[in-house]
Amino acid sequence: MKNSIAERITDFLKQYPPFSSLQYADLLEIAKNSKVLYLEKNQTLFKINDVTHGFFYVVNSGAIGLSVTSDSDDVLIDKCDEGDILGLRPFFAKDNYLMTAKAREESIVYAIPIDIFTPYVASNPPVLSFLLESFASNTRNPYDKNNKGKLISENVIYNDQNAEIQYYQPIKYTENPVTASPSDIVRYVAQTMSSSHIGSIIIHENRKPIGIVTDKDLRSKIATGLFGIDVTIDKIMSSPVITVADNLSLAEAQIMMLKNNVTHLCVTKDGSRDSEITGILTEHDIVVAQANNPGVLLKQCKRAMKSADLKEVRLKLSDLIQHSLDKNVPIQHITSIVGEINLAITTRAIELAIEKIGTPPPTEFAWMNMGSQGRKEQLLMTDQDNAIVFEDVPEEQYDTVKQYYIELAEKVTKTLNKVGYIYCPAGMMASNPLWCKSVTDWQNQFKGWINTPGEKGILHCTIFFDYDFVYGSEALVDAITKTIHEETNDNQLFFAYLGADALKNPPPLGFFRQFLVENDGEHKDTFDLKARALMPLIDSARILALSKGIKNVSNTLSRYAKLAELEPQNAPIYEACADAFSELLNFRTEEGLQNDSDGRYLNLNELSKLDKLKLKNDFQPINDIQEVIKNRFQLTYFT
């Protein structure tokens, strides 16, 4: 007997990927088990944080909006029309929905049961590829010309290059997993799993995998009485075990699990079963890896309710940085993503502080990050540098208004300290009354540093001239920028002092090209990567950008790129400086992540010959850029 509804569903689905890759008979079988949903306008299909359904959905007619909640408002981030797919999370992640799906008009939606559809996914590579690309890019259709490869996160869109960072990076797995021999008794293997707090155990012979036992096996084969608790473990193990190599990416892990309908993969030395066991990769590891997706981290920032929530984001961000470095993602892409997430952490810290105070800010104000945070170069959890500027108020209100912002800053800096960004030892934070001022006071402060440049003023220039707007009224920050460029324009005395400061650290090589290391103190015999290598490049980029009137660019790599554009004759030098800075920042980040430090001091004895050579080659651009500064600002007298 014909099923006219199933045939209509089949005929519709056959027009769209990935269903167009299936045989008609297979698609008809899927359609017979599918449901037809009729949604009224504004009717919700699923909500943020809802437990995932046993279906995914295809729009037959009408339109389904996908939205997130931001500042108590629903923010529409995508609209699904005829043939579009939504609700794919149950395929790839075990957490709840991250968006709300609501009908924007009367709509008909087909609900495709995941249990019925999954076998066709595993046996059909084009279908699997389509679904993986859709989920990895968060697009309703990865083949769509306008949305292909875009990662949509609330009202932020990342380009395809950044999306691939998370999708193709190596996935972390458990090394040296607990194993058992095939002759071991189930009772004792189960006790080992319980005491070790693990959900699976690999069965081996001579360190080569022959099977695996999971909690599911214990439930389905032992708890049901199918086998006794005292049989040998080989009686209930699943065999053969699926093996993979240790450089597996997130995408490849998802494919392997879906293709083989398993939740665990055994990692071996060469990826084969005839090789020594080195680790185990679980479905949980995939969920954790997806939680480090930049878009997910941004959402977590916006949903954070306390400092512990923000700290969790920052810890996940460290994993993302490490994975990206392991995958050789260019450092400028990493700093771009990390900079945005650091901004989101600070922004949420400010919002939570305002909520805690209980009264709204009395005036317009702006929060600014300074130093490495202002340059968006803070990949490690180093100290915080920040400031507040608020709009001018009558003199009689000044102290009251300023006190509000100092209280706000104290709460924000305390939160950031709990997240992992320690207090600035020099007190260069918005909670310090010196760095919480009205816009006019800030303009006068910068005028003083510029027009009477003493040693202390130049020190402040190296921090406060690298700033980035974070929160509030950007117009206040623009007013300060305008003042800086007016006062520095053709200011020879200022550039002479700033130039001399930029030259205080020459290329860090002594006679016979030996590294200049610390002579005494806590870090004796180590190389100060920050002061001797990174800062000369940072300082040089700053003074040259200021002298060329480059506005709203504080990132070192961006400054060198802009300088190369404005001065083609010096472009090779600027490009070499950018390359050197990238590699040096890479060195510092690797050192910091490896040793849980700020990465400033390198133990040269731990470096390979190749790494030492790379370091030395990075010092030549320091010499070249300092020669440019000497000649441009006529600094023979100062040096």
Side-chain angles (χ1 to χ4, degrees):
M1 183 176 178
K2 285 190 175 183
N3 187 331
S4 58
I5 295 178
E7 288 179 352
R8 283 203 300 271
I9 294 174
T10 302
D11 291 338
F12 176 83
L13 294 178
K14 188 66 179 174
Q15 305 174 64
Y16 303 99
F19 310 106
S20 53
S21 300
L22 295 172
Q23 296 295 321
Y24 189 89
D26 293 337
L27 194 53
L28 182 60
E29 187 62 30
I30 293 168
K32 287 177 181 178
N33 291 278
S34 300
K35 295 182 178 180
V36 180
L37 306 181
Y38 299 90
L39 302 179
E40 299 288 339
K41 184 177 181 179
N42 294 324
Q43 185 176 344
T44 299
L45 184 59
F46 54 78
K47 294 181 180 179
I48 293 175
N49 292 326
D50 276 358
V51 175
T52 49
H53 300 173
F55 302 87
F56 69 98
Y57 303 96
V58 182
V59 180
N60 171 267
S61 62
I64 307 295
L66 295 176
S67 64
V68 296
T69 302
S70 178
D71 299 329
S72 300
D73 295 323
D74 285 338
V75 179
L76 181 69
I77 63 170
D78 202 5
K79 189 177 75 168
C80 298
D81 300 306
E82 183 177 304
D84 287 335
I85 295 176
L86 64 151
L88 285 173
R89 288 200 74 74
F91 270 108
F92 304 106
K94 302 306 178 187
D95 54 344
N96 298 342
Y97 288 117
L98 295 180
M99 305 178 192
T100 292
K102 182 186 294 185
R104 294 177 63 82
E105 56 188 74
E106 290 186 5
S107 304
I108 297 176
V109 175
Y110 295 146
I112 314 293
I114 288 172
D115 288 344
I116 299 296
F117 194 73
T118 297
Y120 298 99
V121 176
S123 61
N124 195 310
V127 175
L128 177 59
S129 176
F130 179 95
L131 296 182
L132 279 170
E133 288 182 44
S134 296
F135 183 77
S137 60
N138 277 2
T139 55
R140 57 186 179 271
N141 182 352
Y143 304 155
D144 185 274
K145 292 181 180 179
N146 296 322
N147 292 281
K148 178 175 169 55
K150 288 186 178 177
L151 172 63
I152 304 175
S153 170
E154 303 193 3
N155 57 343
V156 179
I157 298 180
Y158 288 92
N159 61 32
D160 55 345
Q161 191 169 26
N162 289 341
E164 289 177 359
I165 291 174
Q166 185 262 350
Y167 188 49
Y168 293 110
Q169 67 188 7
I171 187 170
K172 276 191 173 183
Y173 59 88
T174 301
E175 298 180 2
N176 302 314
V178 179
T179 58
S181 299
S183 58
D184 288 343
I185 304 300
V186 168
R187 178 193 303 273
Y188 302 116
V189 173
Q191 289 173 353
T192 298
M193 290 171 64
S194 178
S195 62
S196 301
H197 304 289
I198 55 177
S200 61
I201 194 165
I202 297 174
I203 315 303
H204 76 100
E205 284 184 341
N206 300 319
R207 293 298 299 166
K208 296 177 182 178
I210 62 169
I212 187 170
V213 171
T214 67
D215 285 337
K216 182 179 178 181
D217 293 314
L218 296 176
R219 292 194 305 270
S220 63
K221 299 173 184 176
I222 301 299
T224 60
L226 191 61
F227 292 91
I229 192 76
D230 292 317
V231 301
T232 53
I233 198 70
D234 62 325
K235 298 293 192 301
I236 69 166
M237 72 180 184
S238 298
S239 182
V241 64
I242 307 301
T243 57
V244 294
D246 66 355
N247 60 348
L248 201 69
S249 70
L250 170 60
E252 290 169 323
Q254 289 176 317
I255 289 172
M256 290 296 291
M257 287 186 181
L258 279 168
K259 183 177 180 180
N260 295 283
N261 195 27
V262 296
T263 57
H264 296 72
L265 302 171
C266 178
V267 183
T268 63
K269 274 191 173 180
D270 65 8
S272 73
R273 295 184 193 124
D274 193 32
S275 179
E276 185 177 341
I277 298 166
T278 60
I280 187 168
L281 177 61
T282 70
E283 201 170 41
H284 175 72
D285 296 322
I286 288 182
V287 173
V288 170
Q290 289 167 344
N292 293 337
N293 178 302
V296 173
L297 294 183
L298 277 175
K299 292 173 184 175
Q300 287 185 324
C301 284
K302 288 180 176 289
R303 294 198 298 262
M305 298 307 296
K306 54 185 183 297
S307 57
D309 298 334
L310 293 173
K311 183 174 183 177
E312 182 182 349
V313 172
R314 191 54 184 82
L315 291 174
K316 290 179 180 178
L317 182 56
S318 294
D319 290 338
L320 174 63
I321 295 169
Q322 184 64 69
H323 291 165
S324 300
L325 290 172
D326 292 342
K327 194 63 177 176
N328 295 318
V329 174
I331 199 75
Q332 59 264 38
H333 296 317
I334 302 175
T335 57
S336 176
I337 291 174
V338 173
E340 291 303 319
I341 295 174
N342 280 336
L343 278 179
I345 290 173
T346 304
T347 295
R348 188 58 183 149
I350 296 168
E351 292 171 345
L352 291 173
I354 293 173
E355 290 175 13
K356 195 167 186 179
I357 290 175
T359 56
T363 66
E364 292 289 327
F365 80 101
W367 184 282
M368 298 186 291
N369 280 343
M370 304 289 184
S372 61
Q373 289 177 315
R375 296 190 300 272
K376 291 186 178 176
E377 293 165 2
Q378 190 182 37
L379 296 180
L380 302 168
M381 287 197 281
T382 52
D383 64 324
Q384 48 179 300
D385 298 306
N386 42 58
I388 281 180
V389 52
F390 54 88
E391 68 177 334
D392 292 330
V393 295
E395 186 176 349
E396 63 271 16
Q397 297 177 18
Y398 189 93
D399 290 344
T400 302
V401 170
K402 182 168 182 173
Q403 188 55 46
Y404 175 94
Y405 290 117
I406 289 176
E407 181 185 355
L408 172 67
E410 286 173 347
K411 294 184 184 303
V412 175
T413 55
K414 183 178 180 180
T415 296
L416 294 176
N417 184 61
K418 289 180 179 178
V419 169
Y421 299 108
I422 61 173
Y423 293 122
C424 174
M428 293 182 178
M429 299 179 294
S431 53
N432 183 338
L434 288 173
W435 315 130
C436 179
K437 303 174 182 285
S438 69
V439 63
T440 295
D441 282 354
W442 268 118
Q443 288 170 322
N444 290 334
Q445 178 72 79
F446 276 99
K447 287 177 182 178
W449 287 334
I450 294 167
N451 295 313
T452 55
E455 182 177 341
K456 190 174 182 180
I458 291 301
L459 170 64
H460 290 145
C461 291
T462 62
I463 296 174
F464 287 89
F465 280 64
D466 292 345
Y467 56 84
D468 184 39
F469 166 73
V470 177
Y471 182 92
S473 172
E474 193 167 7
L476 297 173
V477 179
D478 290 341
I480 293 174
T481 301
K482 185 172 183 285
T483 296
I484 290 173
H485 286 280
E486 287 175 350
E487 297 298 320
T488 57
N489 183 39
D490 200 29
N491 190 326
Q492 296 181 9
L493 179 64
F494 171 73
F495 285 118
Y497 270 95
L498 199 61
D501 184 72
L503 299 178
K504 66 181 181 294
N505 285 315
L509 290 176
F511 290 111
F512 309 111
R513 282 176 55 82
Q514 295 300 307
F515 288 97
L516 297 178
V517 296
E518 302 306 291
N519 294 321
D520 51 31
E522 178 186 355
H523 302 288
K524 188 176 186 295
D525 296 327
T526 62
F527 179 71
D528 189 342
L529 188 60
K530 176 183 176 181
R532 295 186 181 275
L534 284 166
M535 288 312 300
L537 291 169
I538 292 168
D539 292 341
S540 298
R542 180 190 305 109
I543 183 176
L544 291 169
L546 283 170
S547 70
K548 297 297 290 186
I550 297 173
K551 297 181 180 179
N552 302 318
V553 178
S554 58
N555 178 266
T556 301
L557 292 173
S558 299
R559 280 171 167 167
Y560 279 123
K562 191 65 177 177
L563 288 166
E565 177 187 325
L566 295 175
E567 298 179 14
Q569 71 277 16
N570 287 324
I573 295 176
Y574 297 143
E575 290 165 358
C577 286
D579 291 342
F581 179 80
S582 295
E583 193 158 69
L584 291 167
L585 186 59
N586 205 91
F587 268 111
R588 181 177 183 182
T589 306
E590 290 271 22
E591 173 72 14
L593 292 173
Q594 183 176 341
N595 297 296
D596 192 24
S597 69
D598 64 3
R600 176 168 180 167
Y601 295 96
L602 288 180
N603 185 341
L604 297 175
N605 294 327
E606 296 177 355
L607 297 183
S608 66
K609 288 184 178 180
L610 179 59
D611 283 340
K612 289 180 182 178
L613 180 61
K614 286 181 179 179
L615 270 179
K616 289 180 178 180
N617 290 339
D618 289 335
F619 300 156
Q620 181 58 46
I622 296 176
N623 181 75
D624 294 340
I625 197 68
Q626 290 187 343
E627 285 299 316
V628 170
I629 291 173
K630 285 180 185 179
N631 294 329
R632 180 159 306 179
F633 303 110
Q634 300 176 355
L635 294 178
T636 305
Y637 172 78
F638 281 88
T639 56

